[in-house]
Amino acid sequence: RALKGVRFSAKSGQYAPPLSPERLEAFYRARRRFSELAHSEQYVMSLQFKPGDLLVFDNQRLLHARSSIAPTDGERWVQGCYIDRDGLWLNYERWRRRV
């Protein structure tokens, strides 16, 4: 089995599966550990963008966040664009079968 995606936010309570109290305790312990690792400087990459820069990534394969805005940063304007994964693969398959 392969990991297909991760949905995680350290700021919200998020999903807790219906587990026994013992397993739920282990779940939250693992979730806290995952958060520690995700926020560790060892695994964090910071980028400074300039006007006109573009970043493209798979929203389900990359954990990402925005930092706070310092007074010296100026205004921040971010435009999101999302592609429906199922529609993308459907169109790819249609194209592939024609070739």
Side-chain angles (χ1 to χ4, degrees), residues 3 5-10 14 26-40 43-44 60-64:
L3 180 64
V6 173
R7 295 173 190 258
F8 177 76
S9 173
Q14 289 241 314
F27 169 82
Y28 279 117
R29 192 169 42 252
R31 187 179 184 285
R32 282 190 297 274
R33 180 64 180 138
F34 182 82
S35 183
E36 290 170 3
L37 291 170
H39 291 91
S40 167
Y43 302 111
V44 171
Q60 293 185 4
R61 302 278 300 179
L62 177 73
L63 292 175
H64 60 283

PDB file of all heavy atoms in Angstrom, residues 3 5-10 14 26-40 43-44 60-64:
ATOM      1  N   LEU A   3       1.127   5.521   0.376  1.00  0.00           N
ATOM      2  CA  LEU A   3       0.513   6.733   0.911  1.00  0.00           C
ATOM      3  C   LEU A   3       0.128   7.627  -0.254  1.00  0.00           C
ATOM      4  O   LEU A   3       0.956   7.940  -1.104  1.00  0.00           O
ATOM      5  CB  LEU A   3       1.513   7.456   1.823  1.00  0.00           C
ATOM      6  CG  LEU A   3       1.021   8.745   2.460  1.00  0.00           C
ATOM      7  CD1 LEU A   3      -0.130   8.469   3.410  1.00  0.00           C
ATOM      8  CD2 LEU A   3       2.173   9.411   3.185  1.00  0.00           C
ATOM      9  N   GLY A   5      -1.880  10.612   0.188  1.00  0.00           N
ATOM     10  CA  GLY A   5      -2.061  12.000   0.562  1.00  0.00           C
ATOM     11  C   GLY A   5      -2.053  12.169   2.068  1.00  0.00           C
ATOM     12  O   GLY A   5      -2.303  11.221   2.807  1.00  0.00           O
ATOM     13  N   VAL A   6      -1.770  13.368   2.497  1.00  0.00           N
ATOM     14  CA  VAL A   6      -1.779  13.716   3.915  1.00  0.00           C
ATOM     15  C   VAL A   6      -2.544  15.018   4.066  1.00  0.00           C
ATOM     16  O   VAL A   6      -2.301  15.971   3.337  1.00  0.00           O
ATOM     17  CB  VAL A   6      -0.335  13.902   4.461  1.00  0.00           C
ATOM     18  CG1 VAL A   6      -0.360  14.417   5.881  1.00  0.00           C
ATOM     19  CG2 VAL A   6       0.441  12.614   4.372  1.00  0.00           C
ATOM     20  N   ARG A   7      -3.468  15.038   4.985  1.00  0.00           N
ATOM     21  CA  ARG A   7      -4.180  16.275   5.327  1.00  0.00           C
ATOM     22  C   ARG A   7      -3.883  16.530   6.788  1.00  0.00           C
ATOM     23  O   ARG A   7      -4.244  15.732   7.650  1.00  0.00           O
ATOM     24  CB  ARG A   7      -5.675  16.129   5.086  1.00  0.00           C
ATOM     25  CG  ARG A   7      -6.001  15.934   3.627  1.00  0.00           C
ATOM     26  CD  ARG A   7      -7.478  15.616   3.458  1.00  0.00           C
ATOM     27  NE  ARG A   7      -7.726  15.195   2.102  1.00  0.00           N
ATOM     28  CZ  ARG A   7      -8.271  15.973   1.176  1.00  0.00           C
ATOM     29  NH1 ARG A   7      -8.601  17.205   1.467  1.00  0.00           N
ATOM     30  NH2 ARG A   7      -8.483  15.509  -0.026  1.00  0.00           N
ATOM     31  N   PHE A   8      -3.219  17.629   7.061  1.00  0.00           N
ATOM     32  CA  PHE A   8      -2.765  17.888   8.421  1.00  0.00           C
ATOM     33  C   PHE A   8      -2.752  19.378   8.700  1.00  0.00           C
ATOM     34  O   PHE A   8      -2.335  20.170   7.859  1.00  0.00           O
ATOM     35  CB  PHE A   8      -1.343  17.331   8.602  1.00  0.00           C
ATOM     36  CG  PHE A   8      -0.763  17.616   9.951  1.00  0.00           C
ATOM     37  CD1 PHE A   8      -1.174  16.887  11.056  1.00  0.00           C
ATOM     38  CD2 PHE A   8       0.164  18.615  10.120  1.00  0.00           C
ATOM     39  CE1 PHE A   8      -0.656  17.159  12.299  1.00  0.00           C
ATOM     40  CE2 PHE A   8       0.698  18.887  11.357  1.00  0.00           C
ATOM     41  CZ  PHE A   8       0.290  18.155  12.457  1.00  0.00           C
ATOM     42  N   SER A   9      -3.223  19.754   9.857  1.00  0.00           N
ATOM     43  CA  SER A   9      -3.135  21.132  10.325  1.00  0.00           C
ATOM     44  C   SER A   9      -2.874  21.097  11.821  1.00  0.00           C
ATOM     45  O   SER A   9      -3.660  20.526  12.582  1.00  0.00           O
ATOM     46  CB  SER A   9      -4.427  21.900  10.044  1.00  0.00           C
ATOM     47  OG  SER A   9      -4.374  23.171  10.660  1.00  0.00           O
ATOM     48  N   ALA A  10      -1.775  21.688  12.228  1.00  0.00           N
ATOM     49  CA  ALA A  10      -1.448  21.731  13.648  1.00  0.00           C
ATOM     50  C   ALA A  10      -2.348  22.718  14.388  1.00  0.00           C
ATOM     51  O   ALA A  10      -2.413  22.704  15.611  1.00  0.00           O
ATOM     52  CB  ALA A  10       0.020  22.120  13.829  1.00  0.00           C
ATOM     53  N   GLN A  14      -8.726  18.723  14.106  1.00  0.00           N
ATOM     54  CA  GLN A  14      -8.738  17.745  13.026  1.00  0.00           C
ATOM     55  C   GLN A  14      -9.544  16.510  13.366  1.00  0.00           C
ATOM     56  O   GLN A  14     -10.254  16.438  14.354  1.00  0.00           O
ATOM     57  CB  GLN A  14      -7.316  17.369  12.630  1.00  0.00           C
ATOM     58  CG  GLN A  14      -6.593  18.470  11.919  1.00  0.00           C
ATOM     59  CD  GLN A  14      -6.189  18.069  10.541  1.00  0.00           C
ATOM     60  OE1 GLN A  14      -5.665  16.999  10.344  1.00  0.00           O
ATOM     61  NE2 GLN A  14      -6.434  18.917   9.574  1.00  0.00           N
ATOM     62  N   ALA A  26      -2.818   6.471  21.649  1.00  0.00           N
ATOM     63  CA  ALA A  26      -1.691   6.205  20.743  1.00  0.00           C
ATOM     64  C   ALA A  26      -1.818   7.043  19.472  1.00  0.00           C
ATOM     65  O   ALA A  26      -0.810   7.549  18.953  1.00  0.00           O
ATOM     66  CB  ALA A  26      -1.632   4.720  20.396  1.00  0.00           C
ATOM     67  N   PHE A  27      -3.039   7.214  18.969  1.00  0.00           N
ATOM     68  CA  PHE A  27      -3.268   8.050  17.787  1.00  0.00           C
ATOM     69  C   PHE A  27      -2.802   9.477  18.042  1.00  0.00           C
ATOM     70  O   PHE A  27      -2.070  10.059  17.234  1.00  0.00           O
ATOM     71  CB  PHE A  27      -4.754   8.025  17.418  1.00  0.00           C
ATOM     72  CG  PHE A  27      -5.135   9.057  16.389  1.00  0.00           C
ATOM     73  CD1 PHE A  27      -4.926   8.819  15.045  1.00  0.00           C
ATOM     74  CD2 PHE A  27      -5.695  10.266  16.782  1.00  0.00           C
ATOM     75  CE1 PHE A  27      -5.267   9.776  14.093  1.00  0.00           C
ATOM     76  CE2 PHE A  27      -6.040  11.226  15.846  1.00  0.00           C
ATOM     77  CZ  PHE A  27      -5.825  10.983  14.498  1.00  0.00           C
ATOM     78  N   TYR A  28      -3.224  10.059  19.169  1.00  0.00           N
ATOM     79  CA  TYR A  28      -2.835  11.446  19.461  1.00  0.00           C
ATOM     80  C   TYR A  28      -1.341  11.575  19.734  1.00  0.00           C
ATOM     81  O   TYR A  28      -0.725  12.574  19.388  1.00  0.00           O
ATOM     82  CB  TYR A  28      -3.654  11.996  20.627  1.00  0.00           C
ATOM     83  CG  TYR A  28      -5.020  12.461  20.194  1.00  0.00           C
ATOM     84  CD1 TYR A  28      -6.160  11.858  20.686  1.00  0.00           C
ATOM     85  CD2 TYR A  28      -5.162  13.492  19.269  1.00  0.00           C
ATOM     86  CE1 TYR A  28      -7.415  12.279  20.278  1.00  0.00           C
ATOM     87  CE2 TYR A  28      -6.408  13.917  18.853  1.00  0.00           C
ATOM     88  CZ  TYR A  28      -7.530  13.306  19.366  1.00  0.00           C
ATOM     89  OH  TYR A  28      -8.770  13.727  18.956  1.00  0.00           O
ATOM     90  N   ARG A  29      -0.746  10.561  20.321  1.00  0.00           N
ATOM     91  CA  ARG A  29       0.701  10.571  20.538  1.00  0.00           C
ATOM     92  C   ARG A  29       1.422  10.582  19.185  1.00  0.00           C
ATOM     93  O   ARG A  29       2.353  11.351  18.966  1.00  0.00           O
ATOM     94  CB  ARG A  29       1.103   9.356  21.378  1.00  0.00           C
ATOM     95  CG  ARG A  29       2.514   9.417  21.913  1.00  0.00           C
ATOM     96  CD  ARG A  29       2.827   8.356  22.961  1.00  0.00           C
ATOM     97  NE  ARG A  29       2.304   7.021  22.665  1.00  0.00           N
ATOM     98  CZ  ARG A  29       1.273   6.441  23.308  1.00  0.00           C
ATOM     99  NH1 ARG A  29       0.652   7.064  24.280  1.00  0.00           N
ATOM    100  NH2 ARG A  29       0.873   5.226  22.969  1.00  0.00           N
ATOM    101  N   ALA A  30       0.963   9.751  18.249  1.00  0.00           N
ATOM    102  CA  ALA A  30       1.563   9.702  16.906  1.00  0.00           C
ATOM    103  C   ALA A  30       1.320  11.018  16.168  1.00  0.00           C
ATOM    104  O   ALA A  30       2.204  11.523  15.469  1.00  0.00           O
ATOM    105  CB  ALA A  30       0.984   8.530  16.125  1.00  0.00           C
ATOM    106  N   ARG A  31       0.135  11.606  16.338  1.00  0.00           N
ATOM    107  CA  ARG A  31      -0.181  12.875  15.682  1.00  0.00           C
ATOM    108  C   ARG A  31       0.718  14.001  16.204  1.00  0.00           C
ATOM    109  O   ARG A  31       1.206  14.818  15.432  1.00  0.00           O
ATOM    110  CB  ARG A  31      -1.655  13.216  15.907  1.00  0.00           C
ATOM    111  CG  ARG A  31      -2.112  14.418  15.128  1.00  0.00           C
ATOM    112  CD  ARG A  31      -3.595  14.693  15.381  1.00  0.00           C
ATOM    113  NE  ARG A  31      -4.057  15.783  14.578  1.00  0.00           N
ATOM    114  CZ  ARG A  31      -3.776  17.054  14.816  1.00  0.00           C
ATOM    115  NH1 ARG A  31      -3.028  17.380  15.839  1.00  0.00           N
ATOM    116  NH2 ARG A  31      -4.235  18.002  14.029  1.00  0.00           N
ATOM    117  N   ARG A  32       0.929  14.027  17.510  1.00  0.00           N
ATOM    118  CA  ARG A  32       1.845  15.036  18.082  1.00  0.00           C
ATOM    119  C   ARG A  32       3.260  14.841  17.552  1.00  0.00           C
ATOM    120  O   ARG A  32       3.946  15.799  17.215  1.00  0.00           O
ATOM    121  CB  ARG A  32       1.814  14.977  19.606  1.00  0.00           C
ATOM    122  CG  ARG A  32       0.608  15.643  20.229  1.00  0.00           C
ATOM    123  CD  ARG A  32       0.741  15.780  21.738  1.00  0.00           C
ATOM    124  NE  ARG A  32       0.822  14.505  22.414  1.00  0.00           N
ATOM    125  CZ  ARG A  32      -0.227  13.788  22.801  1.00  0.00           C
ATOM    126  NH1 ARG A  32      -1.446  14.219  22.574  1.00  0.00           N
ATOM    127  NH2 ARG A  32      -0.061  12.636  23.419  1.00  0.00           N
ATOM    128  N   ARG A  33       3.710  13.605  17.442  1.00  0.00           N
ATOM    129  CA  ARG A  33       5.048  13.322  16.923  1.00  0.00           C
ATOM    130  C   ARG A  33       5.162  13.748  15.462  1.00  0.00           C
ATOM    131  O   ARG A  33       6.171  14.321  15.046  1.00  0.00           O
ATOM    132  CB  ARG A  33       5.380  11.837  17.087  1.00  0.00           C
ATOM    133  CG  ARG A  33       6.742  11.465  16.587  1.00  0.00           C
ATOM    134  CD  ARG A  33       7.842  12.149  17.398  1.00  0.00           C
ATOM    135  NE  ARG A  33       9.142  11.766  16.877  1.00  0.00           N
ATOM    136  CZ  ARG A  33      10.155  12.597  16.702  1.00  0.00           C
ATOM    137  NH1 ARG A  33      10.046  13.865  17.045  1.00  0.00           N
ATOM    138  NH2 ARG A  33      11.284  12.170  16.210  1.00  0.00           N
ATOM    139  N   PHE A  34       4.124  13.465  14.677  1.00  0.00           N
ATOM    140  CA  PHE A  34       4.120  13.886  13.279  1.00  0.00           C
ATOM    141  C   PHE A  34       4.225  15.407  13.188  1.00  0.00           C
ATOM    142  O   PHE A  34       4.977  15.944  12.373  1.00  0.00           O
ATOM    143  CB  PHE A  34       2.850  13.387  12.586  1.00  0.00           C
ATOM    144  CG  PHE A  34       2.804  13.736  11.128  1.00  0.00           C
ATOM    145  CD1 PHE A  34       3.475  12.967  10.196  1.00  0.00           C
ATOM    146  CD2 PHE A  34       2.089  14.842  10.693  1.00  0.00           C
ATOM    147  CE1 PHE A  34       3.445  13.286   8.848  1.00  0.00           C
ATOM    148  CE2 PHE A  34       2.050  15.169   9.339  1.00  0.00           C
ATOM    149  CZ  PHE A  34       2.726  14.396   8.422  1.00  0.00           C
ATOM    150  N   SER A  35       3.496  16.112  14.037  1.00  0.00           N
ATOM    151  CA  SER A  35       3.549  17.580  14.052  1.00  0.00           C
ATOM    152  C   SER A  35       4.949  18.069  14.408  1.00  0.00           C
ATOM    153  O   SER A  35       5.462  19.007  13.792  1.00  0.00           O
ATOM    154  CB  SER A  35       2.529  18.134  15.050  1.00  0.00           C
ATOM    155  OG  SER A  35       2.525  19.541  15.028  1.00  0.00           O
ATOM    156  N   GLU A  36       5.569  17.449  15.392  1.00  0.00           N
ATOM    157  CA  GLU A  36       6.946  17.815  15.755  1.00  0.00           C
ATOM    158  C   GLU A  36       7.880  17.650  14.565  1.00  0.00           C
ATOM    159  O   GLU A  36       8.703  18.518  14.280  1.00  0.00           O
ATOM    160  CB  GLU A  36       7.441  16.951  16.923  1.00  0.00           C
ATOM    161  CG  GLU A  36       6.790  17.245  18.245  1.00  0.00           C
ATOM    162  CD  GLU A  36       7.138  16.195  19.300  1.00  0.00           C
ATOM    163  OE1 GLU A  36       7.945  15.269  19.009  1.00  0.00           O
ATOM    164  OE2 GLU A  36       6.583  16.286  20.408  1.00  0.00           O
ATOM    165  N   LEU A  37       7.777  16.532  13.875  1.00  0.00           N
ATOM    166  CA  LEU A  37       8.641  16.283  12.722  1.00  0.00           C
ATOM    167  C   LEU A  37       8.339  17.262  11.590  1.00  0.00           C
ATOM    168  O   LEU A  37       9.253  17.786  10.955  1.00  0.00           O
ATOM    169  CB  LEU A  37       8.472  14.848  12.226  1.00  0.00           C
ATOM    170  CG  LEU A  37       9.013  13.758  13.144  1.00  0.00           C
ATOM    171  CD1 LEU A  37       8.562  12.388  12.664  1.00  0.00           C
ATOM    172  CD2 LEU A  37      10.521  13.850  13.246  1.00  0.00           C
ATOM    173  N   ALA A  38       7.061  17.522  11.321  1.00  0.00           N
ATOM    174  CA  ALA A  38       6.678  18.416  10.231  1.00  0.00           C
ATOM    175  C   ALA A  38       7.159  19.842  10.472  1.00  0.00           C
ATOM    176  O   ALA A  38       7.432  20.574   9.525  1.00  0.00           O
ATOM    177  CB  ALA A  38       5.163  18.399  10.048  1.00  0.00           C
ATOM    178  N   HIS A  39       7.279  20.235  11.724  1.00  0.00           N
ATOM    179  CA  HIS A  39       7.716  21.600  12.051  1.00  0.00           C
ATOM    180  C   HIS A  39       9.208  21.681  12.400  1.00  0.00           C
ATOM    181  O   HIS A  39       9.714  22.763  12.702  1.00  0.00           O
ATOM    182  CB  HIS A  39       6.883  22.148  13.208  1.00  0.00           C
ATOM    183  CG  HIS A  39       5.461  22.401  12.821  1.00  0.00           C
ATOM    184  ND1 HIS A  39       4.479  21.445  12.967  1.00  0.00           N
ATOM    185  CD2 HIS A  39       4.871  23.475  12.259  1.00  0.00           C
ATOM    186  CE1 HIS A  39       3.337  21.935  12.539  1.00  0.00           C
ATOM    187  NE2 HIS A  39       3.539  23.148  12.089  1.00  0.00           N
ATOM    188  N   SER A  40       9.896  20.568  12.337  1.00  0.00           N
ATOM    189  CA  SER A  40      11.316  20.539  12.650  1.00  0.00           C
ATOM    190  C   SER A  40      12.115  21.286  11.580  1.00  0.00           C
ATOM    191  O   SER A  40      11.864  21.128  10.382  1.00  0.00           O
ATOM    192  CB  SER A  40      11.802  19.089  12.724  1.00  0.00           C
ATOM    193  OG  SER A  40      13.202  19.031  12.734  1.00  0.00           O
ATOM    194  N   TYR A  43      13.311  19.535   8.431  1.00  0.00           N
ATOM    195  CA  TYR A  43      12.439  19.199   7.313  1.00  0.00           C
ATOM    196  C   TYR A  43      11.717  20.404   6.708  1.00  0.00           C
ATOM    197  O   TYR A  43      10.940  20.244   5.779  1.00  0.00           O
ATOM    198  CB  TYR A  43      11.399  18.168   7.757  1.00  0.00           C
ATOM    199  CG  TYR A  43      12.032  16.908   8.285  1.00  0.00           C
ATOM    200  CD1 TYR A  43      11.950  16.582   9.631  1.00  0.00           C
ATOM    201  CD2 TYR A  43      12.745  16.061   7.448  1.00  0.00           C
ATOM    202  CE1 TYR A  43      12.544  15.429  10.129  1.00  0.00           C
ATOM    203  CE2 TYR A  43      13.345  14.926   7.925  1.00  0.00           C
ATOM    204  CZ  TYR A  43      13.245  14.611   9.274  1.00  0.00           C
ATOM    205  OH  TYR A  43      13.846  13.480   9.747  1.00  0.00           O
ATOM    206  N   VAL A  44      11.954  21.596   7.227  1.00  0.00           N
ATOM    207  CA  VAL A  44      11.264  22.791   6.732  1.00  0.00           C
ATOM    208  C   VAL A  44      12.109  23.482   5.668  1.00  0.00           C
ATOM    209  O   VAL A  44      13.319  23.641   5.823  1.00  0.00           O
ATOM    210  CB  VAL A  44      10.972  23.771   7.892  1.00  0.00           C
ATOM    211  CG1 VAL A  44      10.464  25.099   7.374  1.00  0.00           C
ATOM    212  CG2 VAL A  44       9.981  23.161   8.856  1.00  0.00           C
ATOM    213  N   GLN A  60      -1.925  17.480  -2.232  1.00  0.00           N
ATOM    214  CA  GLN A  60      -2.065  16.296  -1.404  1.00  0.00           C
ATOM    215  C   GLN A  60      -0.742  15.572  -1.178  1.00  0.00           C
ATOM    216  O   GLN A  60      -0.703  14.557  -0.498  1.00  0.00           O
ATOM    217  CB  GLN A  60      -3.079  15.337  -2.031  1.00  0.00           C
ATOM    218  CG  GLN A  60      -4.477  15.895  -2.024  1.00  0.00           C
ATOM    219  CD  GLN A  60      -5.484  14.887  -2.538  1.00  0.00           C
ATOM    220  OE1 GLN A  60      -5.157  13.742  -2.841  1.00  0.00           O
ATOM    221  NE2 GLN A  60      -6.727  15.317  -2.628  1.00  0.00           N
ATOM    222  N   ARG A  61       0.333  16.069  -1.755  1.00  0.00           N
ATOM    223  CA  ARG A  61       1.625  15.402  -1.613  1.00  0.00           C
ATOM    224  C   ARG A  61       2.672  16.264  -0.915  1.00  0.00           C
ATOM    225  O   ARG A  61       3.789  15.811  -0.689  1.00  0.00           O
ATOM    226  CB  ARG A  61       2.161  14.997  -2.988  1.00  0.00           C
ATOM    227  CG  ARG A  61       1.257  14.086  -3.782  1.00  0.00           C
ATOM    228  CD  ARG A  61       1.387  12.672  -3.404  1.00  0.00           C
ATOM    229  NE  ARG A  61       2.742  12.223  -3.625  1.00  0.00           N
ATOM    230  CZ  ARG A  61       3.165  11.022  -3.371  1.00  0.00           C
ATOM    231  NH1 ARG A  61       2.340  10.136  -2.906  1.00  0.00           N
ATOM    232  NH2 ARG A  61       4.400  10.691  -3.577  1.00  0.00           N
ATOM    233  N   LEU A  62       2.309  17.493  -0.600  1.00  0.00           N
ATOM    234  CA  LEU A  62       3.271  18.416  -0.004  1.00  0.00           C
ATOM    235  C   LEU A  62       2.603  19.166   1.132  1.00  0.00           C
ATOM    236  O   LEU A  62       1.569  19.797   0.939  1.00  0.00           O
ATOM    237  CB  LEU A  62       3.752  19.411  -1.068  1.00  0.00           C
ATOM    238  CG  LEU A  62       4.715  20.491  -0.606  1.00  0.00           C
ATOM    239  CD1 LEU A  62       6.088  19.872  -0.347  1.00  0.00           C
ATOM    240  CD2 LEU A  62       4.824  21.571  -1.652  1.00  0.00           C
ATOM    241  N   LEU A  63       3.168  19.058   2.333  1.00  0.00           N
ATOM    242  CA  LEU A  63       2.672  19.873   3.439  1.00  0.00           C
ATOM    243  C   LEU A  63       3.220  21.275   3.244  1.00  0.00           C
ATOM    244  O   LEU A  63       4.400  21.454   2.967  1.00  0.00           O
ATOM    245  CB  LEU A  63       3.147  19.300   4.777  1.00  0.00           C
ATOM    246  CG  LEU A  63       2.560  17.950   5.169  1.00  0.00           C
ATOM    247  CD1 LEU A  63       3.215  17.448   6.453  1.00  0.00           C
ATOM    248  CD2 LEU A  63       1.062  18.028   5.331  1.00  0.00           C
ATOM    249  N   HIS A  64       2.365  22.261   3.380  1.00  0.00           N
ATOM    250  CA  HIS A  64       2.802  23.627   3.129  1.00  0.00           C
ATOM    251  C   HIS A  64       2.052  24.591   4.037  1.00  0.00           C
ATOM    252  O   HIS A  64       0.989  24.279   4.573  1.00  0.00           O
ATOM    253  CB  HIS A  64       2.567  24.005   1.659  1.00  0.00           C
ATOM    254  CG  HIS A  64       1.129  23.914   1.263  1.00  0.00           C
ATOM    255  ND1 HIS A  64       0.527  22.704   1.009  1.00  0.00           N
ATOM    256  CD2 HIS A  64       0.186  24.852   1.099  1.00  0.00           C
ATOM    257  CE1 HIS A  64      -0.728  22.907   0.688  1.00  0.00           C
ATOM    258  NE2 HIS A  64      -0.977  24.205   0.739  1.00  0.00           N
TER     259      HIS A  64
END
